[in-house]
Amino acid sequence: MSVDPNRPSVARMYDHYLGGRHNFAVDRAVAERAVAMVPAIPRIARANRAFLHRAVRFAVERGVRQFLDIGSGIPTEGNVHEVARALDPQARVVYVDIDPTAVVHARQILDGDPHTAVVQADLHEAGAILGDPQVKALLDFARPICLLLVAMLHFVPDTPELRAALRAYHDALAPGSLLAASHATGDVGELADLYTRTGTPMVLRDRDELAALLDGWDLVPPGLVFSAEWRPDTPPDDPASYATLAAVGERR
């Protein structure tokens, strides 16, 4: 598996927005072009990461100790395993990403950790992901699992294959399992064009379109809201400015 330092990576760009170190000059250059278009991007990325933290804590507090993070990116500081283990040291996490960059960095970061695994796969490959030996060895599908689709569905176009994959994940998880998802929204078409030119097309969806992708999951209060509004530690100012929708749903 090779990493091309001359091709921008969405995972590394996101790491740069968060102030991480797992990125190259080409990623920083494109990321800064994105920030020039939408200056709030670093703040939006931090708010999205804060939603991830709150969702993981919510899951652990609900008794869920297993996490399947698809489109995980690079597990830099404050990622799922760290947040979950602050509440339960035995929490288990499988990180899945299609980007070889994210997978290589993740395996380096998590090397030797017996309670995590890193799998390279596409979201659409539900059967391969659910049947992967590492996934099956680490996660008990007879017990609730939290499926994380955080800041990744906006890189996946609407197709029957996407709907089928989302249904497959839902059906494979035990009752009491959770889905946590966030998704870019709003008027950022110029930014979407930039991402398309990097080789990773961006698909913006409104509230109704995202709700359709979450079909089958019972959304817990406050439902589908802007990311900064989902059970915030402090009330946010101008939640719509975060341009990201978020929700957590339960499988009955």
Side-chain angles (χ1 to χ4, degrees), residues 19 28 37 59 62 85 116 154 159 203 230 238:
R28 294 189 290 274
M37 294 176 180
R62 289 283 288 262
R85 288 182 192 166
T116 63
H154 50 241
T159 61
V203 183
W230 198 88
D238 190 13

Side-chain angles (χ1 to χ4, degrees), residues 56 60 67 79-93 110 113-117 138:
V56 169
V60 176
F67 297 85
N79 217 290
V80 176
H81 63 287
E82 295 175 328
V83 177
R85 288 182 192 166
L87 298 175
D88 186 338
Q90 298 304 309
R92 297 171 179 265
V93 181
L110 300 171
D113 184 335
H115 294 317
T116 63
L138 203 61

Side-chain angles (χ1 to χ4, degrees), residues 108-138:
Q108 291 173 343
I109 294 167
L110 300 171
D111 184 41
D113 184 335
H115 294 317
T116 63
V118 183
V119 175
Q120 183 178 11
D122 187 321
L123 166 73
H124 297 90
E125 301 169 348
I129 290 174
L130 296 169
D132 185 278
Q134 294 182 85
V135 175
K136 295 173 69 175
L138 203 61

